[in-house]
Coordinates of all heavy atoms in Angstrom, one line a residue:
M1263 N -38.4 77.8 -74.9 CA -38.8 77.0 -76.1 C -40.2 77.4 -76.4 O -41.0 77.6 -75.5 CB -38.6 75.5 -75.8 CG -39.1 74.7 -76.9 SD -38.9 72.9 -76.6 CE -37.2 72.8 -77.1
S1264 N -40.5 77.4 -77.7 CA -41.9 77.7 -78.1 C -42.8 76.6 -77.7 O -42.4 75.5 -77.4 CB -42.0 77.9 -79.6 OG -41.7 76.7 -80.2
Q1265 N -44.1 76.9 -77.7 CA -45.2 75.9 -77.3 C -45.3 74.9 -78.4 O -45.6 75.2 -79.5 CB -46.5 76.7 -77.1 CG -47.6 75.8 -76.5 CD -47.3 75.3 -75.1 OE1 -46.6 75.9 -74.4 NE2 -47.8 74.1 -74.8
L1266 N -45.0 73.6 -78.1 CA -45.2 72.6 -79.1 C -46.6 72.0 -79.1 O -47.3 72.1 -78.1 CB -44.2 71.4 -78.7 CG -42.7 71.8 -78.7 CD1 -41.9 70.6 -78.2 CD2 -42.3 72.1 -80.1
K1267 N -47.0 71.5 -80.2 CA -48.4 70.9 -80.3 C -48.3 69.7 -81.3 O -47.4 69.6 -82.1 CB -49.4 72.0 -80.8 CG -49.1 72.6 -82.1 CD -50.2 73.7 -82.4 CE -50.0 74.3 -83.8 NZ -48.7 74.6 -84.2
S1268 N -49.3 68.9 -81.1 CA -49.4 67.7 -82.0 C -49.4 68.1 -83.5 O -50.0 69.1 -83.8 CB -50.8 67.0 -81.6 OG -50.9 65.8 -82.4
G1269 N -48.7 67.4 -84.3 CA -48.5 67.7 -85.7 C -47.4 68.6 -86.0 O -47.0 68.7 -87.2
D1270 N -46.7 69.2 -85.0 CA -45.5 70.0 -85.3 C -44.4 69.2 -85.8 O -44.1 68.0 -85.3 CB -45.1 70.7 -84.0 CG -45.9 71.9 -83.7 OD1 -46.8 72.3 -84.5 OD2 -45.7 72.5 -82.6
A1271 N -43.6 69.7 -86.7 CA -42.3 69.1 -87.1 C -41.2 69.6 -86.2 O -41.1 70.8 -85.9 CB -42.0 69.6 -88.6
V1272 N -40.4 68.7 -85.7 CA -39.3 69.0 -84.8 C -38.1 68.2 -85.2 O -38.2 67.2 -85.9 CB -39.7 68.7 -83.3 CG1 -40.9 69.5 -82.8 CG2 -40.0 67.2 -83.1
M1273 N -36.9 68.6 -84.7 CA -35.7 67.8 -84.8 C -35.3 67.4 -83.4 O -35.4 68.3 -82.4 CB -34.6 68.6 -85.5 CG -33.3 67.8 -85.6 SD -32.0 68.6 -86.5 CE -32.7 68.5 -88.1
I1274 N -34.9 66.2 -83.2 CA -34.4 65.7 -81.9 C -32.9 66.2 -81.8 O -32.1 65.9 -82.6 CB -34.5 64.2 -81.8 CG1 -35.9 63.8 -81.9 CG2 -33.9 63.7 -80.5 CD1 -36.1 62.3 -82.1
V1275 N -32.7 67.0 -80.7 CA -31.4 67.7 -80.6 C -30.6 67.2 -79.3 O -29.5 67.6 -79.0 CB -31.5 69.2 -80.6 CG1 -31.9 69.7 -81.9 CG2 -32.4 69.7 -79.5
G1276 N -31.2 66.3 -78.6 CA -30.6 65.8 -77.4 C -31.3 64.5 -76.9 O -32.4 64.2 -77.4
A1277 N -30.7 63.8 -76.0 CA -31.4 62.6 -75.4 C -30.6 62.1 -74.2 O -29.4 62.3 -74.1 CB -31.4 61.5 -76.5
N1278 N -31.3 61.6 -73.3 CA -30.6 60.9 -72.1 C -30.2 59.5 -72.5 O -29.2 59.0 -72.0 CB -31.6 60.9 -70.9 CG -31.9 62.2 -70.4 OD1 -31.1 63.1 -70.4 ND2 -33.1 62.4 -69.9
S1279 N -31.0 58.9 -73.4 CA -30.7 57.6 -74.0 C -31.2 57.7 -75.4 O -31.6 58.7 -75.8 CB -31.4 56.5 -73.2 OG -32.7 56.6 -73.2
L1280 N -31.1 56.6 -76.1 CA -31.6 56.6 -77.5 C -30.9 57.8 -78.3 O -31.5 58.5 -79.1 CB -33.1 56.7 -77.6 CG -33.9 55.5 -77.1 CD1 -35.3 55.8 -77.1 CD2 -33.5 54.3 -77.9
T1281 N -29.6 57.9 -78.1 CA -28.9 59.0 -78.8 C -28.9 58.8 -80.3 O -28.6 59.7 -81.1 CB -27.4 59.1 -78.3 OG1 -26.8 57.8 -78.4 CG2 -27.4 59.5 -76.8
Q1282 N -29.2 57.5 -80.8 CA -29.3 57.3 -82.2 C -30.4 58.1 -82.9 O -30.4 58.3 -84.1 CB -29.4 55.8 -82.6 CG -30.6 55.2 -82.0 CD -30.4 54.5 -80.6 OE1 -29.9 55.2 -79.7 NE2 -30.7 53.3 -80.5
N1283 N -31.3 58.7 -82.1 CA -32.4 59.5 -82.6 C -32.0 61.0 -82.8 O -32.7 61.8 -83.5 CB -33.6 59.5 -81.7 CG -34.4 58.2 -81.9 OD1 -34.2 57.4 -82.9 ND2 -35.2 57.9 -80.9
I1284 N -30.8 61.4 -82.2 CA -30.4 62.8 -82.3 C -30.2 63.1 -83.8 O -29.5 62.4 -84.5 CB -29.2 63.1 -81.5 CG1 -29.5 62.9 -80.0 CG2 -28.6 64.4 -81.7 CD1 -28.3 63.0 -79.0
G1285 N -30.7 64.3 -84.2 CA -30.5 64.7 -85.6 C -31.7 64.3 -86.5 O -31.8 64.8 -87.6
K1286 N -32.6 63.5 -86.0 CA -33.7 63.0 -86.8 C -34.9 64.0 -86.7 O -35.1 64.6 -85.7 CB -34.1 61.6 -86.4 CG -33.0 60.6 -86.6 CD -33.6 59.2 -86.8 CE -32.7 58.3 -87.2 NZ -31.7 57.7 -87.1
Q1287 N -35.5 64.2 -87.9 CA -36.7 65.0 -87.9 C -37.9 64.1 -87.7 O -38.0 63.0 -88.2 CB -36.8 65.7 -89.3 CG -38.0 66.6 -89.4 CD -38.1 67.2 -90.8 OE1 -37.1 67.4 -91.4 NE2 -39.2 67.7 -91.1
C1288 N -38.9 64.6 -87.0 CA -40.1 63.8 -86.8 C -41.3 64.7 -86.6 O -41.2 65.9 -86.6 CB -39.9 62.9 -85.6 SG -39.3 63.8 -84.1
E1289 N -42.5 64.1 -86.5 CA -43.8 64.8 -86.3 C -44.3 64.4 -84.9 O -44.4 63.2 -84.6 CB -44.8 64.4 -87.4 CG -46.1 65.1 -87.2 CD -47.1 64.7 -88.2 OE1 -46.7 64.5 -89.4 OE2 -48.3 64.6 -87.9
L1290 N -44.7 65.4 -84.1 CA -45.2 65.1 -82.8 C -46.6 64.5 -82.9 O -47.4 64.9 -83.7 CB -45.3 66.4 -82.0 CG -43.9 67.1 -81.7 CD1 -44.2 68.4 -80.9 CD2 -43.0 66.2 -81.0
R1291 N -46.9 63.6 -82.0 CA -48.2 62.9 -82.0 C -49.0 63.4 -80.7 O -50.0 64.0 -80.8 CB -48.1 61.4 -82.0 CG -47.6 60.9 -83.3 CD -47.5 59.4 -83.4 NE -48.8 58.9 -83.0 CZ -49.1 57.6 -83.0 NH1 -48.3 56.7 -83.5 NH2 -50.3 57.2 -82.7
E1292 N -48.5 63.0 -79.6 CA -49.2 63.3 -78.3 C -48.3 63.5 -77.2 O -47.2 62.9 -77.1 CB -50.3 62.3 -78.0 CG -49.9 61.0 -77.7 CD -51.0 60.0 -77.4 OE1 -51.8 60.2 -76.4 OE2 -51.1 59.0 -78.1
F1293 N -48.6 64.4 -76.3 CA -47.9 64.6 -75.1 C -48.4 63.7 -74.0 O -49.6 63.6 -73.7 CB -48.0 66.1 -74.6 CG -47.1 66.5 -73.5 CD1 -45.7 66.7 -73.8 CD2 -47.6 66.6 -72.2 CE1 -44.9 67.0 -72.7 CE2 -46.7 67.0 -71.2 CZ -45.3 67.2 -71.5
V1294 N -47.5 62.9 -73.4 CA -47.9 61.9 -72.4 C -47.1 62.2 -71.0 O -46.0 62.6 -71.0 CB -47.6 60.5 -72.8 CG1 -48.5 60.1 -74.0 CG2 -46.1 60.3 -73.2
V1295 N -47.8 61.9 -69.9 CA -47.2 62.0 -68.6 C -47.4 60.6 -68.0 O -48.1 59.8 -68.5 CB -47.9 63.1 -67.7 CG1 -47.7 64.5 -68.3 CG2 -49.4 62.8 -67.5
E1296 N -46.7 60.4 -66.8 CA -46.7 59.1 -66.2 C -48.1 58.7 -66.0 O -49.0 59.4 -65.5 CB -46.0 59.2 -64.8 CG -45.9 57.8 -64.2 CD -44.9 57.9 -63.0 OE1 -44.5 58.9 -62.6 OE2 -44.7 56.8 -62.5
G1297 N -48.4 57.4 -66.4 CA -49.7 56.8 -66.3 C -50.6 56.9 -67.5 O -51.6 56.2 -67.6
D1298 N -50.2 57.8 -68.4 CA -51.0 57.9 -69.7 C -50.9 56.7 -70.5 O -49.8 56.0 -70.5 CB -50.6 59.1 -70.5 CG -51.1 60.5 -69.9 OD1 -51.9 60.4 -69.0 OD2 -50.7 61.5 -70.5
I1299 N -51.9 56.4 -71.3 CA -51.9 55.2 -72.2 C -51.8 55.8 -73.6 O -52.4 56.8 -74.0 CB -53.2 54.5 -72.1 CG1 -53.5 54.0 -70.6 CG2 -53.3 53.3 -73.0 CD1 -52.5 53.0 -70.1
F1300 N -51.0 55.1 -74.5 CA -50.8 55.5 -75.9 C -50.7 54.3 -76.7 O -50.3 53.2 -76.3 CB -49.7 56.5 -76.1 CG -48.3 56.0 -75.8 CD1 -47.6 55.3 -76.8 CD2 -47.7 56.0 -74.5 CE1 -46.3 54.8 -76.6 CE2 -46.5 55.5 -74.3 CZ -45.8 54.9 -75.3
V1301 N -51.0 54.5 -78.0 CA -50.9 53.4 -79.0 C -49.7 53.7 -79.9 O -49.6 54.8 -80.5 CB -52.2 53.3 -79.8 CG1 -52.1 52.2 -80.9 CG2 -53.4 53.1 -78.9
A1302 N -48.8 52.8 -80.0 CA -47.6 52.9 -80.8 C -48.1 52.5 -82.3 O -49.1 51.9 -82.5 CB -46.5 52.0 -80.3
P1303 N -47.3 52.8 -83.3 CA -47.6 52.5 -84.6 C -47.7 51.0 -84.9 O -48.4 50.6 -85.9 CB -46.4 53.0 -85.5 CG -45.8 54.1 -84.6 CD -46.1 53.7 -83.2
N1304 N -47.2 50.2 -84.0 CA -47.4 48.7 -84.2 C -48.7 48.2 -83.7 O -49.0 47.0 -83.7 CB -46.2 47.9 -83.5 CG -46.2 48.1 -82.0 OD1 -47.0 48.9 -81.4 ND2 -45.3 47.5 -81.3
G1305 N -49.5 49.2 -83.2 CA -50.9 48.8 -82.7 C -50.9 48.4 -81.3 O -52.0 48.3 -80.7
E1306 N -49.8 48.3 -80.6 CA -49.8 47.9 -79.2 C -50.1 49.1 -78.3 O -49.7 50.2 -78.7 CB -48.4 47.3 -78.9 CG -48.0 46.0 -79.6 CD -48.9 44.9 -79.1 OE1 -49.2 44.8 -77.9 OE2 -49.2 44.0 -80.0
V1307 N -50.7 48.8 -77.2 CA -51.1 49.9 -76.3 C -50.0 49.8 -75.1 O -49.7 48.8 -74.6 CB -52.5 49.6 -75.7 CG1 -52.8 50.7 -74.6 CG2 -53.5 49.7 -76.8
Y1308 N -49.5 51.0 -74.8 CA -48.5 51.1 -73.7 C -48.9 52.1 -72.7 O -49.6 53.1 -73.0 CB -47.1 51.6 -74.4 CG -46.6 50.5 -75.3 CD1 -46.8 50.7 -76.7 CD2 -45.9 49.5 -74.9 CE1 -46.3 49.7 -77.6 CE2 -45.4 48.5 -75.7 CZ -45.6 48.6 -77.1 OH -45.1 47.7 -77.9
S1309 N -48.4 51.9 -71.5 CA -48.6 52.9 -70.4 C -47.3 53.6 -70.2 O -46.2 53.0 -70.1 CB -49.0 52.2 -69.1 OG -49.1 53.1 -68.1
H1310 N -47.3 55.0 -70.2 CA -46.1 55.8 -70.1 C -45.7 55.8 -68.6 O -46.5 56.1 -67.7 CB -46.3 57.2 -70.6 CG -45.1 58.0 -70.6 ND1 -44.0 57.7 -71.4 CD2 -44.7 59.1 -69.9 CE1 -43.0 58.6 -71.2 NE2 -43.5 59.4 -70.2
A1311 N -44.4 55.4 -68.3 CA -44.0 55.4 -66.9 C -42.7 56.1 -66.8 O -41.7 55.6 -66.3 CB -43.8 53.9 -66.5
D1312 N -42.6 57.4 -67.2 CA -41.4 58.2 -67.2 C -41.8 59.7 -67.1 O -43.0 60.0 -66.9 CB -40.6 57.9 -68.5 CG -39.1 58.2 -68.3 OD1 -38.7 58.9 -67.3 OD2 -38.4 57.9 -69.2
V1313 N -40.8 60.5 -67.2 CA -41.1 62.0 -67.2 C -42.0 62.4 -68.3 O -42.1 61.6 -69.3 CB -39.7 62.8 -67.2 CG1 -38.9 62.5 -66.0 CG2 -39.0 62.5 -68.5
P1314 N -42.6 63.5 -68.3 CA -43.5 64.0 -69.4 C -42.7 64.0 -70.7 O -41.6 64.5 -70.7 CB -43.9 65.4 -69.0 CG -43.9 65.3 -67.5 CD -42.7 64.5 -67.1
C1315 N -43.3 63.5 -71.7 CA -42.6 63.4 -73.0 C -43.6 63.5 -74.2 O -44.8 63.4 -74.0 CB -42.0 62.0 -73.2 SG -40.6 61.7 -72.2
W1316 N -43.1 63.7 -75.4 CA -43.9 63.7 -76.6 C -43.7 62.4 -77.3 O -42.5 61.9 -77.3 CB -43.4 64.8 -77.6 CG -44.0 66.1 -77.3 CD1 -43.5 67.2 -76.6 CD2 -45.3 66.6 -77.7 NE1 -44.3 68.2 -76.5 CE2 -45.5 67.9 -77.2 CE3 -46.3 66.0 -78.4 CZ2 -46.6 68.6 -77.5 CZ3 -47.5 66.7 -78.7 CH2 -47.6 68.0 -78.2
T1317 N -44.8 61.8 -77.8 CA -44.6 60.6 -78.7 C -44.5 61.2 -80.1 O -45.1 62.3 -80.3 CB -45.8 59.7 -78.6 OG1 -47.0 60.3 -79.0 CG2 -46.0 59.1 -77.2
M1318 N -43.8 60.6 -81.0 CA -43.5 61.1 -82.3 C -43.3 60.0 -83.3 O -43.0 58.9 -82.9 CB -42.3 62.0 -82.2 CG -41.1 61.3 -81.8 SD -39.8 62.4 -81.2 CE -40.5 63.2 -79.9
V1319 N -43.5 60.4 -84.6 CA -43.2 59.5 -85.7 C -42.2 60.1 -86.6 O -42.2 61.3 -86.8 CB -44.5 59.1 -86.4 CG1 -45.4 58.2 -85.5 CG2 -45.3 60.3 -86.9
G1320 N -41.4 59.3 -87.2 CA -40.4 59.7 -88.2 C -39.5 58.6 -88.7 O -39.4 57.6 -88.0
D1321 N -39.0 58.7 -89.9 CA -38.2 57.7 -90.5 C -37.0 57.3 -89.6 O -36.3 58.2 -89.1 CB -37.7 58.1 -91.8 CG -38.8 58.2 -92.9 OD1 -39.9 57.5 -92.6 OD2 -38.6 58.9 -93.9
G1322 N -36.8 56.1 -89.3 CA -35.6 55.6 -88.6 C -35.6 55.8 -87.1 O -34.6 55.5 -86.5
L1323 N -36.7 56.3 -86.5 CA -36.7 56.5 -85.1 C -36.7 55.2 -84.3 O -37.4 54.2 -84.7 CB -37.9 57.3 -84.7 CG -38.0 58.8 -85.0 CD1 -39.3 59.4 -84.5 CD2 -36.8 59.5 -84.4
A1324 N -36.0 55.2 -83.2 CA -35.9 54.0 -82.3 C -36.7 54.4 -81.0 O -36.8 55.5 -80.6 CB -34.5 53.7 -82.0
A1325 N -37.2 53.4 -80.4 CA -37.9 53.5 -79.1 C -37.6 52.3 -78.2 O -37.3 51.2 -78.8 CB -39.4 53.7 -79.3
V1326 N -37.7 52.5 -76.9 CA -37.6 51.3 -76.0 C -39.0 51.1 -75.5 O -39.6 51.9 -74.9 CB -36.7 51.6 -74.8 CG1 -36.7 50.4 -73.9 CG2 -35.3 51.8 -75.3
L1327 N -39.6 50.0 -75.9 CA -41.0 49.6 -75.5 C -40.9 48.3 -74.8 O -40.4 47.3 -75.3 CB -41.9 49.5 -76.8 CG -42.1 50.7 -77.6 CD1 -42.9 50.5 -78.8 CD2 -42.7 51.8 -76.7
E1328 N -41.4 48.3 -73.5 CA -41.4 47.2 -72.6 C -39.9 46.6 -72.5 O -39.7 45.4 -72.6 CB -42.3 46.1 -73.1 CG -43.8 46.6 -73.0 CD -44.8 45.5 -73.3 OE1 -44.4 44.4 -73.8 OE2 -46.0 45.8 -73.1
G1329 N -39.0 47.5 -72.4 CA -37.6 47.1 -72.2 C -36.8 46.7 -73.4 O -35.7 46.2 -73.4
E1330 N -37.5 46.7 -74.6 CA -36.8 46.2 -75.8 C -36.6 47.4 -76.8 O -37.5 48.2 -77.1 CB -37.7 45.2 -76.5 CG -37.1 44.5 -77.7 CD -38.0 43.5 -78.3 OE1 -38.9 42.9 -77.6 OE2 -37.9 43.2 -79.5
L1331 N -35.4 47.5 -77.4 CA -35.1 48.5 -78.4 C -35.8 48.1 -79.7 O -35.6 46.9 -80.2 CB -33.6 48.6 -78.6 CG -33.2 49.7 -79.7 CD1 -33.6 51.1 -79.3 CD2 -31.7 49.6 -79.9
V1332 N -36.6 48.9 -80.3 CA -37.4 48.6 -81.5 C -37.2 49.8 -82.5 O -37.1 51.0 -82.0 CB -38.9 48.3 -81.3 CG1 -39.0 47.0 -80.5 CG2 -39.5 49.4 -80.5
Y1333 N -37.2 49.5 -83.8 CA -37.2 50.6 -84.8 C -38.6 50.5 -85.5 O -38.8 49.7 -86.4 CB -36.1 50.3 -85.8 CG -34.7 50.6 -85.2 CD1 -34.0 49.7 -84.4 CD2 -34.2 51.9 -85.3 CE1 -32.8 49.9 -83.9 CE2 -32.9 52.2 -84.7 CZ -32.3 51.2 -84.0 OH -31.1 51.5 -83.4
L1334 N -39.5 51.3 -85.1 CA -40.8 51.4 -85.6 C -41.1 52.7 -86.3 O -42.3 53.0 -86.7 CB -41.9 51.1 -84.5 CG -41.9 49.8 -83.8 CD1 -42.9 49.9 -82.6 CD2 -42.3 48.7 -84.7
G1335 N -40.1 53.6 -86.4 CA -40.4 54.9 -86.9 C -41.2 55.7 -85.9 O -42.0 56.5 -86.2
F1336 N -40.9 55.4 -84.6 CA -41.7 55.9 -83.4 C -40.7 56.2 -82.3 O -39.7 55.5 -82.1 CB -42.7 54.9 -83.0 CG -43.5 55.3 -81.8 CD1 -44.5 56.2 -81.9 CD2 -43.2 54.7 -80.5 CE1 -45.3 56.5 -80.8 CE2 -43.9 55.1 -79.4 CZ -45.0 56.0 -79.5
G1337 N -41.0 57.3 -81.6 CA -40.1 57.6 -80.5 C -40.8 58.3 -79.4 O -42.0 58.8 -79.6
V1338 N -40.2 58.4 -78.2 CA -40.7 59.2 -77.1 C -39.6 60.0 -76.5 O -38.5 59.4 -76.1 CB -41.3 58.2 -76.0 CG1 -41.8 58.9 -74.8 CG2 -42.3 57.3 -76.6
H1339 N -39.7 61.3 -76.5 CA -38.6 62.2 -76.1 C -39.2 63.4 -75.3 O -40.3 63.8 -75.5 CB -37.8 62.7 -77.3 CG -36.9 61.8 -77.9 ND1 -35.6 61.6 -77.4 CD2 -37.1 60.9 -78.9 CE1 -35.0 60.6 -78.1 NE2 -35.9 60.2 -79.0
E1340 N -38.3 63.8 -74.3 CA -38.6 65.0 -73.5 C -38.7 66.2 -74.4 O -37.9 66.4 -75.3 CB -37.6 65.2 -72.4 CG -37.5 64.1 -71.4 CD -36.4 64.4 -70.4 OE1 -36.5 65.4 -69.8 OE2 -35.5 63.5 -70.3
P1341 N -39.6 67.2 -74.0 CA -39.6 68.4 -74.8 C -38.3 69.2 -74.9 O -38.0 69.8 -75.9 CB -40.7 69.3 -74.1 CG -41.5 68.3 -73.3 CD -40.6 67.1 -73.0
R1342 N -37.5 69.1 -73.8 CA -36.3 69.9 -73.8 C -35.3 69.4 -74.8 O -34.3 70.1 -75.1 CB -35.6 69.9 -72.4 CG -35.2 68.5 -72.0 CD -34.7 68.5 -70.5 NE -34.4 67.2 -70.1 CZ -33.1 66.8 -69.7 NH1 -32.2 67.8 -69.6 NH2 -32.9 65.6 -69.3
H1343 N -35.5 68.2 -75.4 CA -34.6 67.6 -76.4 C -35.1 67.9 -77.8 O -34.6 67.2 -78.7 CB -34.4 66.2 -76.1 CG -33.7 65.8 -74.9 ND1 -34.0 64.7 -74.1 CD2 -32.7 66.5 -74.2 CE1 -33.2 64.7 -73.0 NE2 -32.5 65.8 -73.1
L1344 N -36.1 68.7 -78.0 CA -36.7 68.9 -79.3 C -36.6 70.4 -79.7 O -36.8 71.3 -79.0 CB -38.2 68.5 -79.2 CG -38.6 67.2 -78.7 CD1 -40.1 67.0 -78.6 CD2 -37.9 66.1 -79.6
M1345 N -36.3 70.5 -81.0 CA -36.2 71.9 -81.6 C -37.3 72.0 -82.7 O -37.4 71.2 -83.6 CB -34.9 72.1 -82.3 CG -34.7 73.4 -82.9 SD -33.1 73.7 -83.7 CE -33.3 72.6 -85.2
P1346 N -38.2 72.9 -82.5 CA -39.3 73.1 -83.5 C -38.7 73.5 -84.8 O -37.8 74.3 -84.9 CB -40.2 74.3 -82.9 CG -39.7 74.5 -81.5 CD -38.3 73.9 -81.4
L1347 N -39.2 73.0 -85.9 CA -38.7 73.3 -87.2 C -39.6 74.4 -87.9 O -39.1 75.0 -88.9 CB -38.6 72.1 -88.1 CG -37.6 71.1 -87.6 CD1 -37.5 69.8 -88.5 CD2 -36.2 71.7 -87.5
G1348 N -40.8 74.5 -87.5 CA -41.7 75.5 -88.1 C -42.0 75.1 -89.6 O -41.9 74.0 -90.0
D1349 N -42.4 76.1 -90.4 CA -42.7 75.9 -91.8 C -41.5 76.1 -92.6 O -41.0 77.2 -92.8 CB -43.8 76.9 -92.2 CG -45.1 76.6 -91.5 OD1 -45.4 75.4 -91.2 OD2 -45.9 77.6 -91.3
L1350 N -40.9 75.0 -93.0 CA -39.6 75.1 -93.8 C -39.9 75.0 -95.3 O -40.8 74.3 -95.7 CB -38.7 73.9 -93.4 CG -38.2 73.8 -92.0 CD1 -37.4 72.5 -91.8 CD2 -37.4 75.0 -91.6
Q1351 N -39.1 75.8 -96.0 CA -39.2 75.7 -97.5 C -38.4 74.5 -97.9 O -37.5 74.0 -97.2 CB -38.5 77.0 -98.0 CG -39.2 78.3 -97.6 CD -40.7 78.3 -98.1 OE1 -41.0 77.9 -99.2 NE2 -41.6 78.7 -97.2
P1352 N -38.7 73.9 -99.0 CA -38.0 72.7 -99.5 C -36.5 72.8 -99.4 O -35.8 71.8 -99.0 CB -38.5 72.5 -100.9 CG -39.8 73.2 -101.0 CD -39.7 74.4 -100.0
E1353 N -35.8 73.9 -99.8 CA -34.4 74.0 -99.7 C -33.9 74.0 -98.3 O -32.8 73.5 -98.0 CB -33.9 75.2 -100.5 CG -34.3 76.6 -100.0 CD -35.7 77.0 -100.5 OE1 -36.3 76.2 -101.3 OE2 -36.1 78.1 -100.2
Q1354 N -34.7 74.6 -97.3 CA -34.3 74.5 -95.9 C -34.4 73.1 -95.4 O -33.6 72.7 -94.6 CB -35.2 75.5 -95.1 CG -35.0 76.9 -95.4 CD -36.0 77.8 -94.7 OE1 -37.2 77.5 -94.8 NE2 -35.6 78.8 -94.0
Q1355 N -35.4 72.4 -95.8 CA -35.7 71.1 -95.4 C -34.5 70.2 -95.8 O -34.0 69.4 -95.0 CB -37.0 70.5 -96.0 CG -37.3 69.1 -95.7 CD -37.8 69.0 -94.3 OE1 -38.4 69.9 -93.7 NE2 -37.4 67.9 -93.7
K1356 N -34.1 70.3 -97.0 CA -33.0 69.5 -97.5 C -31.7 69.7 -96.7 O -30.9 68.8 -96.4 CB -32.8 69.8 -99.0 CG -31.7 68.9 -99.6 CD -31.7 69.0 -101.1 CE -32.7 68.1 -101.7 NZ -32.7 67.9 -103.1
S1357 N -31.4 71.0 -96.3 CA -30.2 71.3 -95.6 C -30.2 70.7 -94.2 O -29.2 70.5 -93.6 CB -30.0 72.8 -95.5 OG -30.9 73.4 -94.6
L1358 N -31.4 70.3 -93.7 CA -31.5 69.7 -92.3 C -31.4 68.2 -92.4 O -31.3 67.6 -91.3 CB -32.8 70.1 -91.6 CG -32.8 71.6 -91.2 CD1 -34.2 71.9 -90.7 CD2 -31.8 71.9 -90.1
E1359 N -31.4 67.6 -93.5 CA -31.4 66.1 -93.6 C -30.1 65.6 -93.1 O -29.0 66.2 -93.4 CB -31.7 65.7 -95.0 CG -33.1 65.9 -95.5 CD -33.4 65.5 -96.9 OE1 -32.4 65.0 -97.6 OE2 -34.5 65.7 -97.4
V1360 N -30.1 64.5 -92.4 CA -28.9 64.0 -91.8 C -28.4 62.8 -92.7 O -29.2 62.0 -93.1 CB -29.2 63.4 -90.4 CG1 -27.9 62.7 -89.8 CG2 -29.6 64.5 -89.5
V1361 N -27.2 62.9 -93.1 CA -26.6 61.8 -93.9 C -26.3 60.6 -93.1 O -25.6 60.8 -92.1 CB -25.4 62.3 -94.7 CG1 -24.8 61.2 -95.5 CG2 -25.7 63.5 -95.5
E1362 N -26.8 59.5 -93.4 CA -26.5 58.3 -92.6 C -25.6 57.4 -93.3 O -25.6 57.3 -94.5 CB -27.8 57.6 -92.3 CG -28.7 58.4 -91.4 CD -29.9 57.7 -90.9 OE1 -29.7 56.7 -90.2 OE2 -31.0 58.1 -91.2

């Protein structure tokens, strides 16, 4: 897999849990490892206590924060479950949209 970086557009293509996020496009925010602190879009501060993951934002994303499923347009996923989208042209972008 190519080297991911903050700001990259990706599609979620797999998940151990939160399978409702599969197929969603999002933007990477920051890479976190166990013990790292991050701020979610709701302004709350969280400590990451899992395998290394990317935090991300995108329409309709779900996350589990403090044991509760929330829909904040925010998610946390492992790099192996992400597909970089690169620079897409508008017609390519439209073909990747998931019909809900």
